[in-house]
Each structure stands twice: as C-alpha cells, then as structure tokens.
Amino acid sequence: MALGLGVLDDYGISWDESIQRRHGRVSIDYAAEKLGIDDYEKLEPEWDLEDYQWSNYGMIYQITANLLEQKLGYEDDPYHYYKLRHYLAFGLFWLACLYFYRTLRLRFPDKAWYPLIGTLALVLSPRIFANGFYNPKDHILLVFYVISTFTMLRFLKERSWRNLIFHAFATGLALNTRLPALIVPLTTCLILGWEMLRDRSEIRANLKWIAVYLPLSVAFMVPFFPYLWEDTFSRLIGAFSEMSAFDWDSTVWLFGNRISALDVPWYYIPAWIIITTPIIFLLFIFSGVFATGKHMLSSLRDFRWWSSKEELLDFSQLGLAVGPILVVILLGSTLYNGWRHLHFVFPSFVFLLMVGYDYGQRNWARPQVQSWILGAGLVLTAVQMARYHPHQYVYFNAAIQGEPLNVRFDMDYWGVGFRDAFLQLADQIPEGETRAIKCEVWPCKDNYKSLPPEAKAKLTIATAWHKADYLATNFIWPNTRYDVRDRKEHFAFPVVEVRPAGDLIVGIYDLRAAKAAAAPAPKGTE
C-alpha cells in the first residue's frame, strides 16, 4: 500500500478518464432530478441520461469519484481531481488484493505462505499493477470481479444464507461496474444447476439458493445504477443487448499486422496474455490449468467435475478465467487495443498459478527447485517493473524481440506517458520561458491539465501547427509509427522521447528545427 501511494503521482492520465468523469456527472445530474434535489447545480451543457450514449454503463465508481471531487472543491482543478481518481482507483486495487488473499486462504487454509506468494504475484503482474492507478472502468470491474469471486467461492464452500446475501451484494456491485461481470452469477447458477442434475437431493435447496440470489443481486445493483431506476427490466435487457452488439470501427496492432477491431482473429486475446505475462508466471499457470483439467477428467468417471471442495474452487476459477475469453472468441466480439478489457480474468489465472505451484510441490521429485524458480520469477519481474516505471503498461516478456515494438504492437494507446514527457520537457525550459505544444490526441491535453503548477507554467497548448514550437505524439497513427522509425521530417529532431526498457512510446519533437531544416538555402550560399 505504501509503495503504491509513494509512486501514485508518477502515472499519467489515460484516454478514458475525462470521458468517465463526464459519465459520472451526467448520472449524478439524472439522480438529483429523480430524487427532487432542487438546489443542485446541473452540468453545463446539460446532458440527458436517458438519451446519453453511455447510459447503459454502471457508474458506481464514476459517481463516487464525482461526489468526492465536489465535496473537496476540486471541480475546477484538474491536477487534484485526476489525482483524487488515482487515489481512489489504487485504493480499490489494494482492496482487490486483500480479497484475493482471502480467496487463496479459502483454497489453502493450512499453507500460510501460499496466499502471500499468490497475492505478491498479482501485484507483480506489470500491466495489472500499472492499470490499477489510472484505468477507470476495466480495472474497476477487476476489483469487483475479485470480490464477487471470493464471495462466490466462500458460499460454494460453506453454504449459508449469510454467505449467499454477501455474494448477492458483491454480484450487484460487480454488475454495476461493467456487464461482463454477468459471468459471476452465470457460474454460480451453473454450478448449483450441475449439482441438481447429479444429485436429486440437492434440488430443493439449490432452487432456493438461486431463487433468492438472482433477484437479490439485481436489487443490490439498481440503487447504484440510476439509469435503471425507471423501467428497470426493459432497460436492463436493452443494456445487455447494446453492450453485446457494440461496434468500434477502428484498428488494432498485433505482431506488425493492422487489424480491424470488428474482426480480430481468434488468437488475439490469448496472444496478448501470453506475450505480456512474465514467462515464469506462465509456466505455473499452465501447470495449474493442467492440474485442474487432470482432476476434472478423473472426477468425470463418477459423473462429477470435482471430487472435493478444493477441486470445486479450482474448477470455478478455471471457468472464471477461461469462460470470458471463450465467449469473446465465439461471439466474435469487437475488441479494443491490447487486452485491458479482459484484465479482470487475470486474478483467476494467478489463482491457477498457485494451484500449479501446489501441484508441483506435491508431485515433483525435488519441490525446492520449483520454489527457487517461482522466487526467481518474482524477483526478476520486480526488477523489470522498476526498470519500466512508471510505464509498466507497455511491458512485454522476453519472448518478444526484434524490430521496434511501436511498429508491431499497440503501445501507449491511452496516452498515459504524455505526463512523463511533459515533466521532462519542463525541466529543460529555463524559468520564465514557455513553449507551445501541438497535441496529436486529446489525452495529451488532459495530461497537460494534470501537471503540477510549476511545470504547467512553462507550457501552453497550441491550437494550430504554425503556432507550435513542438509536437507531442504517442504514435497511434500508422504513418507516425514508420516516420519516427525512419526519422522523417520533424521526427529527426527529438526533444523528449519516453523509452521504458528502450522501447519508444511517447515523443516530443521540435517543429521549429524541422521547419528551418526544410527551408531552402538562401541564394548565394552553398
């Protein structure tokens, strides 16, 4: 916790943060109107949530962040209202780590070190760690997915009305973040349903659990989802149908191929997970999948998927990890850059990592060798994260070598690195002077707004190229990727280039020097 708070201000502002801030304010305006709060000052220009493009998204995090911002008086202070959101996001990630630890305690109650090692592995997952500071939607889902997974596994291991009610509450919160959390109640009901098919004595009890759990989950979801306050069920059905048919007509990059987001290959998500997860982690994850699959096949002889409570937890986590990936592949879903939209499945993979480690400890001839391997993997990953800091979100494992990564993969597609670049540029500018910057994408402007006052005073945002001293870019356009590689035009005059682990992600380039170099030589000179 202390480490996270110490480095929190090093992270920049992501593409979605300003958008999600507006989403929260629109939802608050709508709630204030429905609750009859007359003295509330509405957002200008006014937005109507019922006609709002993103009304179908749960807004519990966005509403909370906006209310805190208003309470603290930060509404007109981007430096503080973005920093507030990073505190809130990291605090939630820390909470997720606590619940993940408790989840591992459920699985390994007699092995005190296992939950600590597994939680450390989650924290030392580079992309997961970095997104925990600035990702305002995908990682909020991860947090509540972890919490609802814990409550589900606790209920499945220890059946009681108390545990069911807590699970319904956690499910409602998870559904309020993003609707892919539907996999949690689906998994819960499928397991209870399987038990009824296999053992008729379970039918009555399990039907009662389901009959209470599902309505209660919706009841806990609605209060934090203002759009559902009216015409709840038809709007909820509409939200599911619109989310499943969402289109994003853009392109993504993988292995040097430019791919339509509407038609990504089946291996897109598996490939991203494999190339951005530390290799030693992958070895233990595969071992955990193998061990779980082996136990499942063994249990099938008796018409079971599991033969003990521990195997039930492993089976559930395998479904929670692999299930969403299979759904995305089978439905041919539109996918964004990288795999951030499926980060929420990764804690379940780390759970399987510990299952794999435990399997090796019980079956390897020399289990101490396995401990040294995992320990070395954790240490090496920590060193790599320090090397990348604060840009762990562009981490790739050692399997990716060769040509510059920014012409082969999506790198800093959210523009988080602009803040670091601006701080480095401000250090170069003498006191009392300013430089005008042309931003290629709007996260550049949001990162400028979030700068500390002393750095911000040295920079201004230019509205046109001819008024700018410098260009700031994160190379999301195809031509910029190749032009910077070949050092064409202004890319031949770098002022600041952010290169975590040597890979270029954000750059600031001197337009004045480029213009002077392109100008024809005066007559009479050589």
Side-chain angles (χ1 to χ4, degrees):
M1 182 67 169
L3 174 64
L5 293 176
V7 302
L8 181 142
D9 203 34
D10 297 341
Y11 291 89
I13 311 305
S14 66
W15 194 297
D16 271 3
E17 288 192 78
S18 63
I19 301 172
Q20 294 296 317
R21 179 174 178 262
R22 188 182 70 195
H23 293 352
R25 185 60 188 268
V26 173
S27 293
I28 292 173
D29 290 351
Y30 179 84
E33 180 182 340
K34 295 301 178 184
L35 295 173
I37 302 176
D38 298 327
D39 60 347
Y40 179 78
E41 183 180 349
K42 297 193 72 174
L43 181 69
E44 295 293 342
E46 292 188 4
W47 300 83
D48 185 353
L49 183 63
E50 295 185 1
D51 299 324
Y52 193 57
Q53 183 180 358
W54 295 277
S55 59
N56 292 330
Y57 286 84
M59 295 292 172
I60 185 170
Y61 169 79
Q62 291 79 4
I63 289 173
T64 303
N66 273 272
L67 290 175
L68 284 173
E69 169 191 317
Q70 294 177 37
K71 182 69 175 178
L72 296 171
Y74 292 161
E75 290 179 278
D76 300 316
D77 187 348
Y79 173 70
H80 281 101
Y81 68 60
Y82 281 129
K83 191 172 182 178
L84 169 66
R85 280 165 172 75
H86 288 196
Y87 274 117
L88 183 59
F90 176 72
L92 287 171
F93 179 61
W94 179 74
L95 182 66
C97 290
L98 291 180
Y99 272 93
F100 185 68
Y101 173 85
R102 296 183 67 186
T103 303
L104 289 170
R105 284 290 302 271
L106 286 175
R107 176 60 176 82
F108 305 106
D110 300 324
K111 299 176 179 177
W113 283 102
Y114 280 28
L116 289 172
I117 294 170
T119 304
L120 181 61
L122 178 61
V123 172
L124 291 179
S125 300
R127 294 199 174 217
I128 301 299
F129 179 81
N131 275 260
F133 291 93
Y134 58 77
N135 190 323
K137 55 180 185 179
D138 308 297
H139 268 242
I140 308 307
L141 170 59
L142 180 149
V143 169
F144 290 102
Y145 196 75
V146 168
I147 295 172
S148 60
T149 296
F150 164 75
T151 58
M152 183 188 79
L153 297 183
R154 184 176 63 175
F155 166 72
L156 292 175
K157 188 175 182 180
E158 303 170 9
R159 309 289 170 95
S160 72
W161 288 108
R162 177 180 177 274
N163 286 345
L164 182 77
I165 291 170
F166 274 112
H167 180 41
F169 179 67
T171 300
L173 294 181
L175 290 171
N176 200 284
T177 56
R178 295 191 71 191
L179 295 181
L182 183 64
I183 191 72
V184 173
L186 181 62
T187 301
T188 303
C189 292
L190 284 176
I191 290 173
L192 294 175
W194 173 257
E195 290 178 348
M196 289 189 287
L197 283 175
R198 191 186 172 281
D199 187 349
R200 291 196 173 192
S201 66
E202 301 283 352
I203 293 177
R204 187 172 181 179
N206 284 9
L207 284 176
K208 285 183 180 179
W209 298 129
I210 294 172
V212 173
Y213 167 65
L214 291 178
L216 204 56
S217 297
V218 175
F220 283 129
M221 173 188 182
V222 171
F224 305 103
F225 204 145
Y227 179 67
L228 300 180
W229 288 359
E230 294 185 356
D231 201 11
T232 301
F233 289 102
S234 63
R235 288 188 175 184
L236 187 58
I237 293 171
F240 282 119
S241 62
E242 287 187 30
M243 287 289 292
S244 62
F246 182 78
D247 287 338
W248 184 57
D249 189 12
S250 189
T251 57
V252 295
W253 292 76
L254 182 64
F255 299 121
N257 298 314
R258 190 182 181 196
I259 305 166
S260 169
L262 302 174
D263 189 27
V264 297
W266 68 268
Y267 57 82
Y268 182 80
I269 293 297
W272 269 109
I273 294 175
I274 289 172
I275 64 180
T276 60
T277 300
I279 290 176
I280 292 178
F281 289 17
L282 289 173
L283 296 177
F284 285 97
I285 289 171
F286 291 145
S287 296
V289 173
F290 169 79
T292 303
K294 180 181 178 181
H295 294 149
M296 288 167 54
L297 290 175
S298 177
S299 298
L300 276 176
R301 298 171 187 169
D302 300 322
F303 194 52
R304 297 172 178 266
W305 287 108
W306 57 86
S307 56
S308 67
K309 288 186 176 180
E310 289 74 23
E311 290 182 13
L312 169 58
L313 301 190
D314 299 347
F315 172 80
S316 302
Q317 287 282 32
L318 180 62
L320 291 169
V322 177
I325 298 173
L326 292 178
V327 169
V328 164
I329 293 172
L330 293 173
L331 294 180
S333 302
T334 300
L335 295 174
Y336 287 19
N337 316 81
W339 63 286
R340 62 173 175 82
H341 41 290
L342 282 169
H343 278 184
F344 69 92
V345 306
F346 195 72
S348 294
F349 278 118
V350 177
F351 181 99
L352 294 172
L353 178 154
M354 292 309 302
V355 172
Y357 175 75
D358 179 64
Y359 179 80
Q361 289 291 100
R362 291 184 287 104
N363 291 279
W364 280 32
R366 299 180 65 183
Q368 64 271 22
V369 174
Q370 180 188 229
S371 298
W372 279 106
I373 293 172
L374 181 56
L378 293 170
V379 171
L380 289 173
T381 303
V383 171
Q384 281 289 82
M385 289 177 68
R387 184 183 175 208
Y388 273 86
H389 184 76
H391 307 290
Q392 296 92 349
Y393 50 87
V394 292
Y395 168 86
F396 288 87
N397 63 35
I400 300 301
Q401 302 289 335
E403 194 176 5
L405 295 187
N406 66 336
V407 298
R408 300 166 60 201
F409 300 97
D410 285 310
M411 296 293 281
D412 188 6
Y413 48 82
W414 259 0
V416 181
F418 281 117
R419 192 171 190 272
D420 188 10
F422 286 154
L423 290 173
Q424 292 186 44
L425 178 61
D427 286 341
Q428 299 179 21
I429 300 172
E431 292 294 332
E433 296 185 19
T434 60
R435 300 289 187 272
I437 301 168
K438 180 72 176 73
C439 285
E440 206 168 45
V441 291
W442 90 56
C444 169
K445 298 178 183 178
D446 289 335
N447 278 276
Y448 164 76
K449 293 176 183 177
S450 76
L451 292 174
E454 59 274 15
K456 191 175 180 181
K458 296 182 177 182
L459 306 172
T460 61
I461 298 298
T463 57
W465 284 75
H466 69 276
K467 297 180 180 179
D469 299 309
Y470 304 133
L471 169 73
T473 178
N474 59 337
F475 314 105
I476 63 170
W477 313 121
N479 61 303
T480 59
R481 296 168 183 255
Y482 298 113
D483 287 351
V484 72
R485 180 193 64 184
D486 300 334
R487 293 298 181 186
K488 292 183 178 179
E489 300 176 341
H490 45 269
F491 292 115
F493 303 94
V495 180
V496 171
E497 289 188 326
V498 179
R499 292 178 173 272
D503 298 309
L504 179 61
I505 62 170
V506 168
I508 299 177
Y509 300 92
D510 195 329
L511 297 177
R512 300 169 304 176
K515 185 177 180 180
K523 291 183 180 180
T525 63
E526 295 183 356

